[in-house]
Amino acid sequence: MTLTTLTRRRLAAAGIATVSALAFLPAGQADAAPAIVVHARSHIGEQGGSCKEFVQRMYNETHANSLGTGYWTAYVNAGYHLVAKSAVVPGDVIQETDTSSHTTGIHTAIVTGDPAGATIRVVDSNWVGHNTVGEHAYDPDAHAASKGGKAYYWHK
């Protein structure tokens, strides 16, 4: 059985997790999936725009306050704080930026799984296909370094 996108969005909005939305959570943690993770997963396969725009939209649609458009201050102003890569949990945000001004983005993603070695499971846009939402594992530190930047791990 497959669910239509509209049905998945309604389930996500109602706080009801779908099987596909929970497929990557460890057993026993299915009910703990943050709303932003469930909502972002409901858009997999759709056009999501740039990675930063997608994360901003997912945040704004699941939180009472708004996530601004900046690459650094937006997270600080929304109540996020930096954590170590090893401390990320589903719902946290990875923001790769330049290392000096934090004004140029490389990639932005929502964490959907705990770190497994160098890689972290995420949902994002513009990685699996042009402006397409997908879920995958990647190494943010290695990716950011290859572009001359650094990966920052934001927790709220």
Side-chain angles (χ1 to χ4, degrees):
M1 177 174 101
T2 59
L3 298 174
T4 66
T5 300
L6 181 58
T7 301
R8 287 184 304 190
R9 284 185 187 156
R10 287 180 180 155
L11 289 171
I16 301 168
T18 66
V19 173
S20 63
L22 302 176
F24 299 103
L25 286 177
Q29 291 186 6
D31 295 332
I36 192 170
V37 171
V38 175
H39 188 56
R41 283 179 167 158
S42 75
H43 294 280
I44 289 175
E46 297 176 1
Q47 291 295 296
S50 75
C51 55
K52 175 69 170 96
E53 293 168 334
F54 174 72
V55 171
Q56 179 184 6
R57 185 168 53 94
M58 294 300 99
Y59 180 92
N60 292 345
E61 292 175 359
T62 58
H63 289 79
N65 62 332
S66 179
L67 180 62
T69 58
Y71 287 99
W72 183 270
T73 56
Y75 296 98
V76 173
N77 292 341
Y80 281 91
H81 62 276
L82 291 172
V83 296
K85 179 180 184 178
S86 61
V88 300
V89 295
D92 289 351
V93 174
I94 299 168
Q95 175 65 63
E96 299 177 31
T97 70
D98 65 272
T99 56
S100 57
S101 67
H102 306 295
T103 58
T104 303
I106 299 169
H107 194 63
T108 309
I110 299 166
V111 174
T112 61
D114 294 331
T119 65
I120 298 177
R121 191 146 194 91
V122 298
V123 64
D124 55 18
S125 185
N126 216 21
W127 184 280
V128 300
H130 180 69
N131 291 332
T132 302
V133 178
E135 186 167 16
H136 58 96
Y138 89 115
D139 181 343
D141 293 326
H143 182 258
S146 75
K147 305 290 184 181
K150 182 176 178 178
Y152 297 92
Y153 302 91
W154 295 100
H155 176 77
K156 186 170 176 127

